[in-house]
Amino acid sequence: MFSEELDDKLKEKHGKDASVLSIGIAGEKKVLLAAIMNDKDRAAGRSGVGAVMGSKKLKGIVVKASKKNADETLASVEALMQANKDVMVNIRENGLTGGGLRALGTASLVNVINGVGSLPTKNWQEAYYDKAEDVSGEALAEKYLVKASACHRCPIACGRVVRVGDKVVGGPEYEPLWAYGADCGNSDLAVINECNWLCNEYGLDAISVPCTIAAAMELYQRGAIKEEDCAGAPLEWGNTHALVEWTKRMGNPETELDWLMSSGSARLCEAYGMPELSMSVKKQEMPAYDARGVQGIGITYATSNRGGCHVRGYTIAPEVVGLPVQLDRTVTNDKAFWSKTFQDLTAVIDSMGLCLFTSFALGAPEYTKLLNAACGTEYTPDQVLEIGERIYNIERMFNKAAGMKPEDDRLPKRLLTEPIPDGPSKGLVSKLDITLPEYYQVRGWEKAFPTDETLKRLGLDECVGK
């Protein structure tokens, strides 16, 4: 059953005030790129978590809020209300959280990132897309946007609601706009909207699916995948029929190539003897920022505890957007420090159940104020950041116990050896050979893992995987 139909049926049974977590057909079939969908069009999209639910034969979870008095769960309702009032001033006064994201959503980044020459194009063979304007947030707002949408009580409202044919559905974020767009050499915005909706319906990762299609398109370009293998949907750059058809096939795989594609670009490219064409880290596809043109995000990708990921250390904020300060994106100076700091702070934000986008307007002092008000603690901002550091180190030790090796902290060879061929970042490569050792030094790690001294400092002497 598709996500939208299931969501409607469950809410018809349990009430419109219920919230639904569910998997689609992809999760049922334990596809490795399966997502968990929330209320039709929001997703826990990465790392194949939908396949985990499918393996447990768990189709969905319905949640309804209780009316328990907040006094029973909060240290001080009054203190939290005041802290919330204080931080809302920052959120309203910030250009992004106070209006920019509501107007254009995350899609506003298409022209911004293309403008600095770091929009990966045709499976990262290039980093500047001459048709980016056609698939930008501005184009989306002009042609297809119905309204902005928000998660429960969120003041930012970055979500998009768009028209797909005669349907009104959840619209694409920046990542699928890029991945189904520039990364696949496609400038048809209507098709991107349709493919994004299909990802939601089948319950698929809307980053990894189109990135895998892009890798397949390069394999096709190089003659590894043949036209006769494609069953009427040749994997040519910009082939809109192929984008729609292969999204469906990956969501409900049947043939050998369907299953191989639905397993992600790393396994696909390995099967064809060209692993270097997978633009992934730890077998997870990297998102829409070329690390050759933005040095700090390369450290984030390489050292992310869950593979190619931007939301566990979003250095795009200082390196491109200029928040909280403007850094030079092309140099390596202090990028190890910034990456670590953003990773630690993000671990705190995630653990508090807050949205990462609030960090455009808030910093450690504001999150500390909210946490102390809710829990009755007396943490300082430095102590809160140390909590985030502890979380990141625990995750790393879990990975070690699960079989991670030092060589897994890497970037695809293309980013290290193939300079960007044109555009504003022409000639740049990632300098991970400089930044990764610096990062380990800042972290107190050796060969990708915490030293005994670091574990002792963080109170993790008995940590799993030691």
Side-chain angles (χ1 to χ4, degrees):
M1 188 180 294
F2 290 116
S3 297
E4 185 173 344
E5 181 184 0
L6 176 65
D7 191 278
D8 287 340
K9 285 183 179 295
L10 290 173
K11 287 178 179 175
E12 181 179 343
K13 178 178 180 180
H14 297 282
K16 295 295 183 183
D17 58 339
S19 190
V20 176
L21 285 173
S22 65
I23 57 172
I25 297 170
E28 293 177 22
K29 300 186 83 165
K30 299 186 282 294
V31 166
L32 295 183
L33 304 184
I36 298 173
M37 303 308 301
N38 173 217
D39 294 339
K40 297 182 181 179
D41 57 29
R42 309 307 283 176
R46 313 227 64 196
S47 306
V49 288
V52 177
M53 279 184 65
S55 72
K56 299 177 185 298
K57 300 188 183 301
L58 177 59
K59 178 65 175 174
I61 302 171
V62 180
V63 178
K64 296 185 74 170
S66 71
K67 298 184 183 297
K68 179 181 285 189
N69 192 316
D71 289 334
E72 298 179 21
T73 57
L74 295 171
S76 170
V77 174
E78 293 76 17
L80 184 58
M81 289 178 66
Q82 183 60 52
N84 182 69
K85 182 179 179 180
D86 293 343
V87 301
M88 278 302 302
V89 173
N90 298 53
I91 289 174
R92 291 193 184 101
E93 292 180 350
N94 180 274
L96 283 175
T97 57
L101 284 169
R102 182 182 291 270
L104 295 176
T106 58
S108 61
L109 285 167
V110 173
N111 281 331
V112 172
I113 301 302
N114 197 55
V116 298
S118 296
L119 190 72
T121 300
K122 293 186 176 179
N123 200 38
W124 301 64
Q125 294 181 83
E126 305 165 18
Y128 181 81
Y129 189 42
D130 59 3
K131 297 180 180 179
E133 183 63 44
D134 296 339
V135 296
S136 65
E138 290 80 358
L140 185 70
E142 177 184 348
K143 297 178 180 179
Y144 298 102
L145 184 67
V146 175
K147 63 179 181 178
S149 64
C151 298
H152 179 62
R153 298 191 68 181
C154 176
I156 298 174
C158 69
R160 307 292 87 185
V161 176
V162 301
R163 295 192 183 278
V164 173
D166 60 355
K167 296 179 68 66
V168 175
V169 300
E173 301 288 339
Y174 165 59
E175 307 294 340
L177 275 170
W178 154 73
Y180 276 113
D183 205 34
C184 289
N186 166 51
S187 61
D188 190 325
L189 187 52
V191 168
I192 296 174
N193 288 335
E194 180 180 1
C195 289
N196 182 77
W197 171 66
L198 287 171
C199 283
N200 292 341
E201 285 287 82
Y202 283 95
L204 288 167
D205 179 344
I207 297 177
S208 283
V209 167
C211 287
T212 298
I213 295 174
M217 287 179 167
E218 185 169 359
L219 287 168
Y220 186 91
Q221 169 192 324
R222 293 171 179 266
I225 295 178
K226 310 295 183 184
E227 183 172 356
E228 55 267 28
D229 300 330
C230 298
L235 288 154
E236 301 162 321
W237 295 115
N239 184 340
T240 55
H241 169 66
L243 291 175
V244 173
E245 183 63 23
W246 280 103
T247 299
K248 294 177 180 178
R249 294 179 187 180
M250 293 168 74
N252 188 17
E254 296 180 356
T255 70
E256 182 179 356
L257 186 54
D258 294 350
W259 278 106
L260 194 54
M261 293 271 285
S262 72
S263 298
S265 67
R267 293 170 179 84
L268 173 71
C269 293
E270 285 171 4
Y272 282 93
M274 298 182 182
E276 69 278 4
L277 299 188
S278 171
M279 297 296 106
S280 63
V281 177
K282 302 179 179 77
K283 291 187 169 63
Q284 178 159 267
E285 288 71 20
M286 296 181 296
Y289 312 90
D290 196 312
R292 292 172 290 189
V294 187
Q295 293 296 322
I297 201 67
I299 311 172
T300 294
Y301 291 161
T303 62
S304 172
N305 285 329
R306 68 169 187 168
C309 173
H310 60 300
V311 296
R312 300 293 180 89
Y314 192 65
T315 64
I316 297 300
E319 291 189 280
V320 177
V321 181
L323 294 172
V325 297
Q326 183 68 62
L327 302 180
D328 185 340
R329 63 184 175 82
T330 67
V331 303
T332 62
N333 304 36
D334 298 324
K335 296 300 173 64
F337 163 80
W338 280 97
S339 182
K340 174 191 178 295
T341 301
F342 269 71
Q343 288 171 339
D344 294 346
L345 181 61
T346 302
V348 170
I349 297 168
D350 288 346
S351 298
M352 290 177 67
L354 297 177
C355 174
L356 177 62
F357 290 170
T358 58
S359 66
F360 288 128
L362 309 179
E366 289 76 25
Y367 292 115
T368 302
K369 179 184 291 187
L370 289 167
L371 181 62
N372 286 339
C375 299
T377 49
E378 297 182 354
Y379 291 124
T380 66
D382 285 344
Q383 288 173 322
V384 166
L385 283 173
E386 187 176 273
I387 292 171
E389 183 181 9
R390 188 176 298 116
I391 292 168
Y392 211 82
N393 278 268
I394 291 172
E395 291 176 349
R396 179 55 57 125
M397 295 307 289
F398 176 92
N399 283 358
K400 182 180 181 182
M404 179 188 161
K405 305 298 182 186
E407 55 267 27
D408 294 331
D409 276 354
R410 61 160 189 83
L411 290 175
K413 183 180 177 181
R414 171 167 287 165
L415 303 191
L416 306 175
T417 62
E418 297 180 23
I420 292 175
D422 52 30
S425 292
K426 180 179 180 179
L428 296 180
V429 295
S430 172
K431 299 174 183 176
L432 191 67
D433 60 325
I434 296 174
T435 56
L436 187 59
E438 292 176 347
Y439 174 87
Y440 288 159
Q441 183 176 7
V442 170
R443 273 258 175 239
W445 292 1
E446 288 181 1
K447 296 182 179 179
F449 299 108
T451 63
D452 289 344
E453 291 77 8
T454 296
L455 293 176
K456 183 176 182 180
R457 174 176 62 82
L458 296 172
L460 301 175
D461 305 58
E462 305 301 322
C463 188
V464 62
K466 183 179 175 183

